[in-house]
């Protein structure tokens, strides 16, 4: 049995420390547990490979109807079994797969939105450090489109997962070097050029 990996010998679905809400919502009393999502946009496969995973994930932004019909018929989770922490199938959730525990959080795949790191305000700096490891291993954290500034656009967005009775994460974001997103100021933060 491989510890922490979903295999035929170990078909368990380990509980997530970051994906699931463990505080009963009392984030004002425990701001370090306030949940955040770090979304890494773009092709999910180079990101997964940079994380050391030998897998292939569906391209979530594809608009090819035949491609999605094939994904629906074949399923996308069976080929991941034994290679990731959990395919999250016991919950009957088509969207998510729990790829890997990483410093400061958990690496997940959302078939509608791509790769995500679920973390907390207290673990944000560790998770951002892990992003730098992914970058060193070949994951792109910037894209350049016509008309964009020379430094490109951050492919990494940091967002709150909950907005009610939540602490203000702005001081922690700024201390970690994050900057407000160019278009979604106040709601979304991103990596500055030197961090991507």
């Amino acid at each position: 049995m491989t510890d922490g990996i979903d295999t035929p010998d170990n078909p368990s679905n380990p509980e997530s420390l970051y994906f699931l809400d463990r505080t009963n919502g009392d984030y004002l009393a425990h701001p370090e547990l306030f949940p955040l999502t770090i979304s890494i946009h773009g092709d999910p496969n180079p990101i997964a490979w940079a994380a050391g995973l030998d897998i292939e994930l569906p391209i979530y932004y594809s608009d090819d109807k035949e491609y999605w019909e094939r994904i629906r018929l074949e399923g996308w989770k069976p080929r991941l079994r034994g290679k990731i922490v959990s395919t999250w199938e016991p919950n009957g959730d088509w969207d998510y797969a729990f790829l890997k525990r990483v410093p400061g959080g958990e690496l997940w795949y959302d078939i509608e939105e791509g790769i995500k790191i679920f973390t907390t305000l207290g673990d944000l700096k560790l998770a951002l450090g892990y992003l730098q490891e992914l970058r060193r291993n070949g994951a792109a954290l910037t894209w350049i489109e016509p008309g964009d500034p020379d430094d490109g656009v951050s492919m990494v967005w940091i967002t709150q997962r909950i907005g009610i009775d939540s602490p203000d994460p702005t001081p922690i974001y700024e201390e970690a070097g994050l900057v407000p997103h160019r278009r979604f100021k106040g709601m979304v933060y991103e990596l500055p050029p030197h961090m991507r």
Side-chain angles (χ1 to χ4, degrees):
M1 180 180 341
T2 306
D3 185 38
I5 301 292
D6 215 6
T7 67
D9 294 25
N10 180 27
S12 65
N13 186 4
E15 284 196 16
S16 163
L17 295 175
Y18 295 88
F19 183 75
L20 304 175
D21 181 3
R22 295 179 171 275
T23 66
N24 296 320
D26 193 5
Y27 298 114
L28 294 176
H30 301 282
E32 72 282 1
L33 299 177
F34 182 55
L36 304 173
T37 299
I38 300 174
S39 300
I40 311 172
H41 300 282
D43 186 339
N45 290 303
I47 301 162
W49 301 332
L53 296 168
D54 181 20
I55 59 175
E56 188 166 340
L57 297 165
I59 306 299
Y60 67 95
Y61 52 81
S62 173
D63 58 4
D64 181 343
K65 291 181 180 177
E66 290 181 14
Y67 175 77
W68 284 111
E69 189 58 34
R70 191 169 60 252
I71 294 289
R72 275 188 278 278
L73 287 173
E74 297 172 2
W76 66 280
K77 292 185 177 185
R79 63 179 180 236
L80 300 176
R81 288 186 196 130
K83 297 181 177 183
I84 64 172
V85 172
S86 175
T87 53
W88 212 244
E89 288 167 298
N91 287 351
D93 193 330
W94 159 267
D95 289 348
Y96 288 102
F98 182 177
L99 303 180
K100 184 176 182 176
R101 289 183 176 87
V102 300
E106 298 171 348
L107 196 68
W108 285 73
Y109 182 67
D110 176 347
I111 197 167
E112 294 183 358
E113 298 181 13
I115 297 273
K116 297 181 178 295
I117 297 175
F118 292 120
T119 187
T120 60
L121 202 52
D123 285 335
L124 176 62
K125 287 185 183 176
L126 278 173
L128 292 174
Y130 180 70
L131 272 179
Q132 297 308 303
E133 182 180 329
L134 291 178
R135 183 173 62 114
R136 286 190 296 273
N137 291 340
L141 302 182
T142 299
W143 77 75
I144 297 177
E145 296 177 351
D148 282 335
D150 290 343
D151 61 13
V153 176
S154 175
M155 295 173 67
V156 177
W157 297 5
I158 296 85
T159 56
Q160 303 174 195
R161 293 215 314 266
I162 294 173
I164 300 170
D165 294 331
S166 60
D168 177 8
T170 307
I172 303 296
Y173 287 173
E174 291 175 352
E175 184 183 331
L178 301 174
V179 295
H181 190 278
R182 297 170 197 212
R183 288 187 303 245
F184 307 112
K185 294 187 188 307
M187 298 169 47
V188 180
Y189 275 68
E190 63 182 4
L191 300 181
H194 74 277
M195 292 177 70
R196 49 184 155 90

